[in-house]
Amino acid sequence: GDQKRAAISWKPFGKGKVAVVWAQTIVPPLFSEENAKYAFLGDVARWAGVQPIAEVTDNRFWTNMLKSKDGKSFYGLVHVGSWQNTPSETVEGAVRWLRLPEASYKITELISWKDLGEWTSEKLAKEGIPVKLRPREVAIYRMSKQ
């Protein structure tokens, strides 16, 4: 009966799990804005066997990655999604790109054309690219093998 919270249950089924979401509207990507550390949709992906391409220090960052046909460039998208006008402030953190082939990469943020220098795949996975975005802003990083 609480219209502000969805009821969620899951049960093992065969080799997987079934998640049932009892909600009157789309489920928000996070359970708690104050503690943006529990992303329900990430659990669903992991349960389905999807290996994450990125880890974020703040789950209000949403990520995606594409690669060029020749496999020499990767394009990492970072977006601050907004759920019912939350968050209303700038979000700062880092995005660690986990699944890049071992190499050195020249990093360019394509919207601002800011050159971030050369990074190793190890540094991108361990430290990640620092990100600072307002709600609904997007950053696109081109990571080109050197």
Side-chain angles (χ1 to χ4, degrees):
D2 185 345
Q3 293 185 10
K4 294 183 179 182
R5 298 186 322 165
I8 301 170
S9 59
W10 50 83
K11 297 283 183 189
F13 184 79
K15 294 180 182 180
K17 294 181 184 181
V18 174
V20 179
V21 180
W22 305 91
Q24 293 182 348
T25 185
I26 189 168
V27 177
L30 305 172
F31 274 104
S32 169
E33 184 61 34
E34 299 81 41
N35 181 12
K37 298 296 178 194
Y38 184 72
F40 168 72
L41 298 178
D43 275 352
V44 172
R46 281 187 293 282
W47 289 341
V50 175
Q51 296 295 317
I53 58 166
E55 284 182 353
V56 294
T57 58
D58 188 313
N59 280 321
R60 293 175 291 179
F61 289 129
W62 299 356
T63 62
N64 200 357
M65 181 176 279
L66 301 171
K67 74 175 181 176
S68 61
K69 286 184 181 183
D70 63 9
K72 293 181 181 178
S73 293
F74 295 82
Y75 298 86
L77 179 135
V78 183
H79 169 67
V80 173
S82 183
W83 176 257
Q84 296 177 345
N85 297 318
T86 302
S88 58
E89 73 282 350
T90 298
V91 178
E92 288 188 64
V95 177
R96 295 185 291 275
W97 300 100
L98 305 174
R99 303 179 57 81
L100 292 169
E102 192 172 320
S104 287
Y105 294 88
K106 179 180 184 220
I107 312 294
T108 305
E109 198 291 311
L110 295 179
I111 294 174
S112 66
W113 285 103
K114 183 176 181 181
D115 181 1
L116 301 179
E118 196 166 311
W119 296 51
T120 64
S121 52
E122 181 179 15
K123 182 176 178 180
L124 286 163
K126 287 187 177 180
E127 294 178 29
I129 297 173
V131 179
K132 182 177 179 179
L133 296 172
R134 293 187 310 249
R136 296 185 183 90
E137 279 191 327
V138 175
I140 302 172
Y141 300 96
R142 180 177 55 212
M143 297 166 265
S144 300
K145 284 185 186 180
Q146 297 300 294

